[in-house]
Amino acid sequence: MDSSRNSIAGTAVDDHVSEDVYIEKEQTRRELGHRMAEDEAQAPVGPRKFQHGFWDSEVAHLRKIYFKILGMTVALLVVAMWLFFSIYWGSLGETAQHVPKLKGYVINRDGTAGEGLLGQAIVAAFEANSRGEGVPENQHLTWAVVDSSYLPSNEDVAHAVVEEEVWAAVVVNSEATSLLNSARSSGNSSYDPRTAVTFYYNQGRNEIAANSFIVPYTTALLQSTLTAFNAKTNAQYFAALANGADDARQTAMTTISQAPQTVSQPFSYQAVNLRPYTKTVSQAVLLVGQIYIIILSFVVTMTHDFARGIISPFLRFKSYARMRVLVPLVAYIPLSFSYAMISLPFKVTFDAKYSYAGGFFLFWVFVYMGMAAVGLATEAMITLLTPRFIAYFLIALIISNVSVASVPIVLQPSFYRYGYGFPVFNLAEAVRTIIFNTKNRMGVNAGVLLAWVALSMITVLLFTWLVRRKDEQAEKLKNAEQKVVV
């Protein structure tokens, strides 16, 4: 009975204690609830989607980040402009000052000394021109008088110009003065004044140099020299007639009526464009198209960067490295072939040196090598710069290449000689050989492009290894921290 009472009493006490604990917990919960409500009331309300104006205070911190990103981008672009745009401006800014670096030959075949008066006049005029006499500063080529035995025939002269021994050549043709005198004496109506002098040039080598400097300066010099010499020789001819016998004057009048060109224009010249710049569409594959090649390869780089991020964390280094190099090289095959095919409907002259099919195939091969050269360069640099900053490298890559591809490097300051080892210059030079039949340096051009491909492959692998090593170390550190927490 006592035990039962004790048990009942114990139960009552326990119930009382439990009730007190319950009440205490409820009071604590209420206090915490009040505090949380107060904290929530005092806490700032976060931005809600689609509910704010640009200048609302709720998005102030986001607006700050927005302006920071834009401001940094504008600042970096301004720096990039001054660093890289000045390279392109500089490549064109002093072109006219370097025209005397363009070399030309003068060959006199006009008889022996004392008889070839035209040849002597032409040689004297071109030598004076080389010294800058009678022309504005630097508005002349540099002419070397070459003995006719060095280039025995005009075919040899043409070959020297095509093979880029010189930029142009002027030939006073064989017995030019004697042929005029003979035509005047005999009344040769078939006499052609243009056979006296031949001017050879190679427009396909560089159309800007040819059209802007070589042809205008040379033709102006020939016209002024021949005009003065024609006036002089006519004056001497008519003076001799005036002092001669009546029969001689009568005969001369008859022959002049039969061959009036012998006095109206005794001497003239013929310009021979050995490698014409035949189609304006060629500009698409020589310069602008080169920029497109860089852009196309850059798109592959950006896409590959995103795509490989999905699988690369799960690959061993060897497998990942092979993917980094081989996948872009495979992607460039259809892209380069498609790029080459676009030129077919527009009749680009792939048959200038080889057969049409052979020229097209070579064009495609060089486009592929060029795309690989510039594409793998961006593939390497995106590893270090990341997609956030790779666009600035793209600007530098385009401008540094295009700056040396528009005008001859010889017409630029010596700084631009780096272009001889850059992809776009060598690709453009190879394309000129294919479509214009200019001097063949395709072996050197291919060597430079392949050297860029090899260098980029090495840098891709090196940069990939460095970044992978850093990622692996970060992953090990993360796993170690997780084990400590557990």
Side-chain angles (χ1 to χ4, degrees), residues 244-263:
D246 291 340
D247 292 344
R249 285 196 296 272
Q250 186 61 38
T251 301
M253 292 301 103
T254 303
T255 56
I256 289 174
S257 65
Q258 294 172 346
Q261 70 271 28
T262 60
V263 293

Side-chain angles (χ1 to χ4, degrees), residues 169-232:
V170 172
V171 181
V172 184
N173 289 311
S174 180
E175 307 298 334
T177 303
S178 297
L179 289 174
L180 172 66
N181 294 333
S182 176
R184 282 174 171 174
S185 301
S186 63
N188 182 5
S189 60
S190 63
Y191 173 75
D192 185 355
R194 295 176 302 171
T195 60
V197 179
T198 306
F199 163 42
Y200 295 98
Y201 68 99
N202 181 356
Q203 188 185 30
R205 182 177 179 182
N206 188 280
E207 64 283 358
I208 295 177
N211 298 341
S212 299
F213 305 115
I214 297 171
V215 173
Y217 290 178
T218 306
T219 55
L221 178 58
L222 283 171
Q223 288 170 359
S224 62
T225 303
L226 291 174
T227 298
F229 187 79
N230 286 340
K232 179 180 178 181

Side-chain angles (χ1 to χ4, degrees), residues 142-178:
T142 297
W143 299 96
V145 179
V146 178
D147 192 275
S148 59
S149 61
Y150 176 67
L151 298 169
S153 68
N154 282 10
E155 288 75 15
D156 295 324
V157 176
H159 181 75
V161 175
V162 169
E163 289 299 302
E164 302 180 7
E165 190 174 324
V166 287
W167 286 86
V170 172
V171 181
V172 184
N173 289 311
S174 180
E175 307 298 334
T177 303
S178 297

Side-chain angles (χ1 to χ4, degrees), residues 320-339:
Y320 180 42
R322 285 194 294 268
M323 182 184 75
R324 287 294 312 270
V325 173
L326 296 180
V327 170
L329 290 176
V330 173
Y332 300 148
I333 295 175
L335 287 176
S336 59
F337 187 73
S338 178
Y339 175 91

Side-chain angles (χ1 to χ4, degrees), residues 301-320:
T301 297
M302 294 298 294
T303 304
H304 191 215
D305 180 78
F306 173 77
R308 62 184 165 80
I310 300 171
I311 191 173
S312 61
F314 307 99
L315 300 180
R316 293 187 298 272
F317 174 75
K318 288 184 178 180
S319 181
Y320 180 42

